[in-house]
Amino acid sequence: MLANRLAGRTVGCNASAMIDKSGVDERLLAAEVAAAWSVDIVNLVFIPVGLDGHAWAYRVDTSDGERYFLKMRRGEFTRAAVLLPGFLRAQGVRQVVAPIDLPDGGADRRFGDYRLLLYPFHDGGSLWGRGLTDRQWIEYGEFLGRLHAVTPSADITAALPVETYRSSAGERLRTLGGQAAASDALGAFWDRYGARAASVVGNGR
């Protein structure tokens, strides 16, 4: 029975990455996932790992032998996290794992104060300790090439975060340059190279 399998189950992992359970009723969570994605759940296994302090992970086992990865987050997922993976897969970037769409549309589902995303489950170990093989580095480079060749749609562009970078190096150089010019130790150096340094910083290189 699912109710018996939910209690106290975890998957072994590095203790340094351990995350405590959220405190939600996992029976209600399993019922919500089953109804939302039309799956017959026989096991829900908490996976106590992750880097998002507001999110929790589960493995979902179904009666037809399928496995899924469930991510539950307190609050909203970013729009990019919901939309971008599916868009990339549709553009042929098959290495991206995208959330599974709900039968009635969309990918994320509300569950009380939480939001849910369901993904295909991929078994695999961590590469932090052993790194990539030469072949995997090649495949990784090929993936990056395909990724950067994709032109985002208007909807995806609107969902992506945008950062504006403005360097303060020029202002710092002007302040330090005055001190260097007046320095017995650095004055000659600054007389010789100061203009070139200011030119490089001014051109943003």
Side-chain angles (χ1 to χ4, degrees), residues 20-26 29 46 56 58 72 74 114:
D20 293 331
K21 288 189 175 184
S22 66
V24 303
D25 187 324
E26 292 181 351
L29 175 59
F46 175 61
W56 294 263
Y58 294 85
M72 179 181 73
R74 180 183 288 116
Y114 303 88

Side-chain angles (χ1 to χ4, degrees), residues 11 54 63 68 72 83 88-89 101 152 156 158 183 204:
V11 173
H54 298 283
S63 60
Y68 301 93
M72 179 181 73
L83 299 177
L88 291 174
R89 282 192 67 85
D101 287 337
I156 295 298
S183 168

Side-chain angles (χ1 to χ4, degrees), residues 166-186:
R166 182 177 182 274
S167 174
S168 61
E171 182 178 344
R172 294 200 309 273
L173 183 63
R174 285 189 292 272
T175 299
L176 296 174
Q179 298 173 10
S183 168
D184 292 337
L186 298 175

Side-chain angles (χ1 to χ4, degrees), residues 99-177:
I100 299 169
D101 287 337
L102 292 157
D104 56 355
D108 64 323
R109 171 86 168 193
R110 182 171 297 282
F111 175 62
D113 295 331
Y114 303 88
R115 303 293 293 193
L116 307 176
L117 287 173
L118 190 69
Y119 300 82
F121 189 94
H122 293 277
D123 284 307
S126 172
L127 293 176
W128 286 110
R130 54 188 173 90
L132 298 176
T133 65
D134 289 346
R135 181 58 200 165
Q136 287 171 330
W137 276 115
I138 293 172
E139 293 174 352
Y140 181 54
E142 293 170 345
F143 156 71
L144 291 178
R146 284 191 289 271
L147 178 65
H148 286 282
V150 173
T151 300
S153 65
D155 288 345
I156 295 298
T157 299
L160 294 175
V162 177
E163 295 183 2
T164 300
Y165 174 75
R166 182 177 182 274
S167 174
S168 61
E171 182 178 344
R172 294 200 309 273
L173 183 63
R174 285 189 292 272
T175 299
L176 296 174

